[in-house]
Amino acid sequence: MSDDDFMLESDQEDYEFDYETEGEDESQDVDVENRYYNAKQMKQNDPQGAIDEFLSVVSLEKEKGDWGFKGLKQAIKLEFKLKQHEKAVKHYAELLTYIRSAVTRNYSEKSLNNMLDYISSSSDPEDMPYMEKFYDMTLDAFQGTNNERLWLKTNIKLAKLWLDRKEYSRLTRNVRLLHQACQRPDGTDDPSKGTYLLEVYAIEIQMYSETGNNKKLKALYNKSLRVRSAVPHPRIMGIIRECGGKMHMNEGEYPIPSENWKDAQSDFFESFRNYDEAGSLQRIQVLKYLVLASMLMKSEINPFESQETKPFVTRSSTVHIETHSLHRYKTDPRIVAMTDLVEAYQHNEIHRYEHILEKNKEDILSDPFIREHIDEVTRNIRTEALLKLIAPFTRFTLAFIAKQLRIAVPEVQEILGFLILDKKIRGKINQEQGTVQIESNIDAERMRAMKEWSSALDRLSNTLFSDGEGFKSEDNTHLGGGVSSPLFEGRR
C-alpha cells in the first residue's frame, strides 16, 4: 500500500468518526431541548414534576450552557412559588455560577433582572427573608466579577423594593451604601456616576416626601437640580419634580404664600413633561396636581387651554423652542373630572363645582395629596361666592347665606370670621341672633376722606405758622421791637 493510499484511507476513517460524534451531540441536544419543553408543559398541572424535569435538563448537559441555565431559572421560580425556599436559594446559587462564562453577559444580566422582579413581586411576609437573600447573593456575585455597574443597578432595584414596601430603616441603610459607591475616595460626588446618583436622590426624595420630612426633602431636591454630569431617564426627573411640587404645596403654614403655588405649578408641569416623554402613566396623576395648583394660585388661565413654550439648547448650541400643549388631554376620560372642576372654579360657578366634586368624589378624592388640598380650593370658591352674594346687603342672616350656598351655618360663620379678620369686609357677627351687620361702604369712604382731609389741614397749618422764611420780618420793629416807629412818635 502506498503512502497516498494509506493517507486517503485514514482520512475516510477520520471523517466517519467525526460524523458519528457530531450525530451523538445533536441527538443529545435534541433530548435536552425536548425535556425542557416537556417540563414547560407540565408547569400548570404538575409543578413538582416540572421542577424535576427542569433539573434533569441541567444534569444532562455535559458542560454548563444555555439549556441548563434556562432549566435552573424555571425550576427556581416554581420552587419559590411552592414555598420551597431553601431549594430555590440553593439552585439560585448554582445559577449564578453560569454568569461567568456559560452564557453571554447581556443574556445573564437580563435573566437575573427578570428573576429579581419575579421574586420581588411577592407580597407574602414569609418570602421576605429569602427575597433579601436572593439580592445579597446577586450583589456578592457581581462584586466577585468586578461588575460595578450591575452591582449599582441591583442595589438601586433593592432600594426601590424597600421604598415600595415602606421599609424605611432598611432603605436608609441601602441608600447610605449607594451614596458611598457614587463618591470619590475624598468623599465628593463622582461625576462619572451622576446618572446613578440622581436615581438614588429620586428614591431618597420619595422617602422624605412619604414621611413628611420637608426639611431634608428640600435640601436634597435643590441638590439634585444642581447635578450637571448626568443623563437621567426622564422618569427619574419626573419623580424628582413631582416630589418638588408636593414639597412647595406643603411648605409653610396657612395661608401658604402665592409664590409656593407658582413654584408647585412649575414643578408639576416639568414632572408631567418628563413623565409624558418617558411614556409613564403617572403623567395623568401629575396633570391632576397641576390643575390643583392652578386653582390654588387663582390663575385665570385654564391649564388645558395654555401652551407652554420652553427654550433649550442642543449639543450643537442651536437654540430651539420646545412647545408642549396640554390641550390634547382635555377630553381624556381619566382627567375630564378635573377639567370640568377647573372650568367651574374659574367661572365661580359654585353649585356646578359642588356637583362635579360630589359626582366624581371617588375618582378625585382617591388620591391622598388631592384630598389634602381640595378643601382649600372649595373654601376659596365659597369665599368668592359669599362676597358676591352679600355685596348689595348691609344686614343679613347666617341662615340666608347658608341656604344660598348650600352649606352649614357654622361654615358660613367661619368664612365670614376669616374675611372680617383679613379686613376684606367690615362688619360684626351677632351669634345670638344669627345676623351680620356690614358697615356701609359709603360711610367708611366718608370717614376715610374726613381723616385724610383733617391730616392735610394739620400739615398745612404747620407749614403756615412755622418759623418759615416767608413770615420773617426784616427787623424786629414791625413786631414791637426796641426801636420806636416814626408813625406813632407824635401821638405819644
Side-chain angles (χ1 to χ4, degrees), residues 36 39 43 47-48 50-56 58 68-82 84 87-89 91-92 95 115 118 134:
Y36 176 79
K43 285 170 63 176
Q48 186 57 55
I51 292 172
D52 297 336
E53 194 76 356
F54 280 128
L55 293 177
S56 71
V58 180
F69 188 76
K70 290 179 179 179
L72 278 172
K73 281 197 307 178
Q74 296 292 340
I76 292 165
K77 289 180 179 180
L78 285 172
E79 286 170 339
F80 196 84
K81 184 178 180 180
L82 297 176
Q84 299 174 9
K87 289 182 180 180
V89 169
H91 290 133
Y92 188 66
L95 181 76
M115 177 68 74
Y118 176 81
F134 268 73

Side-chain angles (χ1 to χ4, degrees), residues 119-369:
I119 299 298
S120 302
S121 64
S122 172
S123 57
D124 189 346
E126 185 184 347
D127 295 338
M128 183 65 70
Y130 298 97
M131 193 183 301
E132 194 169 1
K133 182 69 174 174
F134 268 73
Y135 273 96
D136 289 341
M137 291 166 65
T138 308
L139 291 169
D140 290 342
F142 288 150
Q143 277 190 330
T145 57
N146 292 321
N147 195 330
E148 188 179 27
R149 182 179 64 86
L150 285 181
W151 184 91
L152 281 167
K153 289 180 72 174
T154 304
N155 241 323
I156 288 172
K157 184 184 285 291
L158 179 58
K160 290 176 182 176
L161 174 65
W162 298 144
L163 179 66
D164 291 341
R165 296 177 182 274
K166 303 189 185 303
E167 296 272 355
Y168 298 125
S169 57
R170 287 178 171 177
L171 175 57
T172 302
R173 291 194 297 269
N174 190 250
V175 164
R176 193 179 299 118
L177 284 174
L178 284 166
H179 274 302
Q180 291 172 358
C182 293
Q183 289 177 343
R184 292 168 170 168
D186 62 357
T188 58
D189 291 339
D190 187 349
S192 66
K193 297 173 183 173
T195 302
Y196 294 115
L197 186 62
L198 268 182
E199 282 200 65
V200 177
Y201 281 157
I203 293 169
E204 204 171 359
I205 282 171
Q206 287 178 89
M207 178 179 70
Y208 291 138
S209 180
E210 290 177 8
T211 56
N213 192 335
N214 250 32
K215 185 177 180 181
K216 288 188 176 181
L217 170 57
K218 187 173 184 178
L220 205 58
Y221 165 80
N222 291 329
K223 196 174 182 180
S224 68
L225 296 184
R226 292 195 294 267
V227 176
R228 294 287 180 267
S229 60
V231 186
H233 192 281
R235 184 182 59 81
I236 299 301
M237 292 310 300
I239 291 171
I240 291 173
R241 289 290 194 169
E242 178 189 348
C243 292
K246 290 180 177 180
M247 173 194 72
H248 290 305
M249 288 181 67
N250 290 329
E251 200 171 22
E253 297 180 356
Y254 184 84
I256 296 174
S258 59
E259 287 300 319
N260 285 39
W261 304 132
K262 292 178 183 178
D263 291 340
Q265 187 192 44
S266 176
D267 268 340
F268 286 140
F269 175 77
E270 288 300 321
S271 175
F272 166 79
R273 188 176 62 82
N274 279 285
Y275 279 137
D276 197 33
E277 184 182 342
S280 172
L281 293 177
Q282 185 62 14
R283 66 181 181 271
I284 298 298
Q285 205 61 29
V286 169
L287 187 52
K288 293 180 181 180
Y289 300 158
L290 175 60
V291 173
L292 180 67
S294 298
M295 289 191 287
L296 285 169
M297 68 182 288
K298 301 179 182 178
S299 172
E300 296 180 0
I301 301 173
N302 190 321
F304 294 103
E305 300 297 338
S306 66
Q307 187 165 281
E308 296 287 343
T309 304
K310 302 283 183 182
F312 69 98
V313 183
T314 63
R315 292 180 181 177
S316 60
S317 299
T318 305
V319 177
H320 297 272
I321 298 296
E322 177 186 18
T323 303
H324 208 104
S325 176
L326 305 179
H327 184 74
R328 61 193 175 99
Y329 287 93
K330 187 175 181 179
T331 56
D332 191 304
R334 297 165 294 179
I335 201 73
V336 70
M338 293 297 286
T339 306
D340 294 341
L341 202 67
V342 73
E343 285 182 355
Y345 179 84
Q346 290 184 330
H347 290 92
N348 284 327
E349 297 174 359
I350 184 169
H351 297 320
R352 184 183 169 213
Y353 171 91
E354 299 274 8
H355 174 71
I356 295 168
L357 190 60
E358 182 64 30
K359 182 182 176 182
N360 301 278
K361 183 183 292 185
E362 186 175 344
D363 178 43
I364 295 174
L365 302 184
S366 60
D367 185 284
F369 181 73

